[in-house]
Amino acid sequence: MKIVSVQDKCDAAFRQWADTLINNTQFTRNYWTIEGKGVNFSNYGHGEPGEITREVMLGVDPSTGNSTVKIVKPNAEKLDKGPVTVLAEDEQGRHYLLREGRLQKNNISNFVKDNFSELSGLSEVPLIVDGKISKRHWYIVANLASTPNEIVAQTAAFSIACARARNLAGGGKHSDDIDKEEESRPTYGMDEKGRLTKRTTPGGNIQVHELQDYVYSALKNIIGEELRKPKNNGYCVDGFISRANLLIEIKTGTAAHCIYEGIGQLLLYPSLIGIKGTPDRALIVPDDRPLRPIMAAALDAANIAIFTYSIEGSVEAPHIIFSDAFINRCRA
């Protein structure tokens, strides 16, 4: 591939990529979520909320206050001597957004560069600059000639690969600090019924809002009778849609133990209950706290899709809103 040295083309390509992400992802508060992958990204204050101007941080990590990898608007004048992102063109004239295989040290991991390809599992793309191969090492973020859904999926895959590289590189915030953060993640109770209950604690009685049945009921209202809860041998799934071949597990929190439990249920229920074939697996979680990038990468490796839902309304009558991507998958 050859580097593109015309700024107008770089600007247009970055704008296309950014707008594709914005228009095909879920925006919540100050970040976007790539549904199905659990990858979150932010403009990190560069522009108004919901706006991307010149910088995107992929893989928001709420436990550390950092993100996995930064993508910036290419600077054509500096060719491959400038920012970590460039625009390249292949022999067919297709444009690609490329990112250098270099991850700065932060609260997630140590510095990654020389072994980026090994740690991430990505293949380097030789980049021609002024007739010579660039001395820096470049990797594809997205093929901009692809469909919008493919561009989003490619971007998510790049972010996940970078999260994998950071995890294998080690370092970053001390594990004890992460454990404390995980314990503080919201969880609304594990019961099946949507109700308010009282629980006794050392400080007295508290009310706990149990949301799981509210979430199931909201989904049932949308999907209808195709959403079922198969049960057998004393076990019952949260949801199964035969036509979509989709097994669903609902979680009301994003703490590590919630995710661990959901994964175990998704993996074991087909055998425990007797669901024929190999269903696709989806974990749905509230969008009030993003997953850590390394958890998103682990779920991707386990071939488990991750979707989110929003909670609006009052405590007594919560209103559950699902993403379009999740509903479309349920109806596939």
Side-chain angles (χ1 to χ4, degrees):
M1 293 187 189
K2 293 183 178 180
I3 196 167
V4 174
S5 57
V6 178
Q7 189 61 50
D8 286 347
K9 290 185 177 181
C10 291
D11 292 346
F14 183 82
R15 188 72 264 146
Q16 176 198 347
W17 175 75
D19 288 344
T20 299
L21 292 187
I22 290 174
N23 294 330
N24 294 276
T25 56
Q26 190 83 7
F27 182 71
T28 305
R29 300 173 183 87
N30 295 315
Y31 62 89
W32 293 264
T33 299
I34 299 178
E35 293 289 341
K37 294 297 183 180
V39 172
N40 303 282
F41 61 93
S42 165
N43 64 14
Y44 255 43
H46 294 279
E48 297 296 323
E51 176 186 51
I52 293 176
T53 55
R54 60 181 179 84
E55 184 172 316
V56 172
M57 298 296 283
L58 294 173
V60 174
D61 191 335
S63 299
T64 62
N66 290 140
S67 289
T68 303
V69 57
K70 178 169 67 174
I71 308 295
V72 300
K73 184 167 67 175
N75 186 327
E77 182 181 2
K78 293 186 177 180
L79 298 177
D80 63 336
K81 303 295 193 296
V84 289
T85 311
V86 299
L87 181 66
E89 186 177 79
D90 66 12
E91 293 179 350
Q92 286 74 43
R94 293 172 297 201
H95 286 162
Y96 297 77
L97 201 62
L98 304 185
R99 184 18 166 107
E100 185 183 11
R102 173 164 59 93
L103 303 174
Q104 294 293 345
K105 179 179 179 180
N106 60 15
N107 288 324
I108 302 176
S109 78
N110 291 325
F111 178 69
V112 179
K113 183 180 179 182
D114 294 339
N115 55 351
F116 177 85
S117 180
E118 175 188 351
L119 297 180
S120 68
L122 297 176
S123 298
E124 180 183 353
V125 176
L127 179 66
I128 305 300
V129 183
D130 291 334
K132 298 180 181 179
I133 295 180
S134 174
K135 294 182 180 179
R136 295 166 75 177
H137 305 286
W138 301 95
Y139 299 81
I140 294 175
V141 177
N143 174 0
L144 301 181
S146 303
T147 67
N149 286 342
E150 289 170 339
I151 289 173
V152 173
Q154 292 164 13
T155 302
F158 181 78
S159 178
I160 286 171
C162 290
R164 191 162 50 235
R166 283 194 180 277
N167 184 51
L168 293 174
K173 196 172 183 179
H174 194 273
S175 60
D176 288 345
D177 296 328
I178 299 295
D179 290 341
K180 291 177 183 177
E181 177 68 23
E182 286 293 339
E183 291 174 2
S184 72
R185 284 174 177 267
T187 179
Y188 301 94
M190 309 304 292
D191 297 339
E192 289 290 336
K193 301 299 181 182
R195 60 189 179 188
L196 286 171
T197 61
K198 288 186 177 181
R199 294 184 182 176
T200 302
T201 68
N205 294 327
I206 61 171
Q207 285 189 324
V208 177
H209 196 199
E210 296 166 347
L211 285 167
Q212 192 168 24
D213 196 53
Y214 284 118
V215 178
Y216 174 81
S217 296
L219 186 59
K220 185 77 171 181
N221 288 337
I222 297 172
I223 303 301
E225 294 303 315
E226 290 189 5
L227 177 64
R228 300 184 179 276
K229 291 174 69 73
K231 58 182 178 181
N232 195 16
N233 298 315
Y235 300 98
C236 181
V237 306
D238 283 348
F240 179 67
I241 305 173
S242 179
R243 184 168 62 90
N245 192 37
L246 186 65
L247 181 64
I248 299 167
E249 187 61 31
I250 299 168
K251 288 299 161 191
T252 56
T254 54
H257 70 272
C258 294
I259 305 303
Y260 298 158
E261 183 179 59
I263 293 170
Q265 290 167 313
L266 288 169
L267 293 176
L268 297 178
Y269 275 169
S271 295
L272 290 172
I273 293 173
I275 298 175
K276 295 181 180 180
T278 305
D280 291 341
R281 299 171 170 91
L283 193 65
I284 58 173
V285 299
D287 66 0
D288 56 356
R289 201 65 180 276
L291 289 174
R292 294 185 61 209
I294 190 57
M295 182 64 81
L299 288 165
D300 182 74
N303 201 28
I304 294 175
I306 188 86
F307 295 96
T308 61
Y309 59 89
S310 300
I311 306 167
E312 297 184 358
S314 66
V315 173
E316 292 76 13
H319 178 51
I320 309 300
I321 302 173
F322 301 100
S323 69
D324 291 341
F326 176 59
I327 297 304
N328 290 338
R329 178 61 190 89
C330 289
R331 290 172 170 164

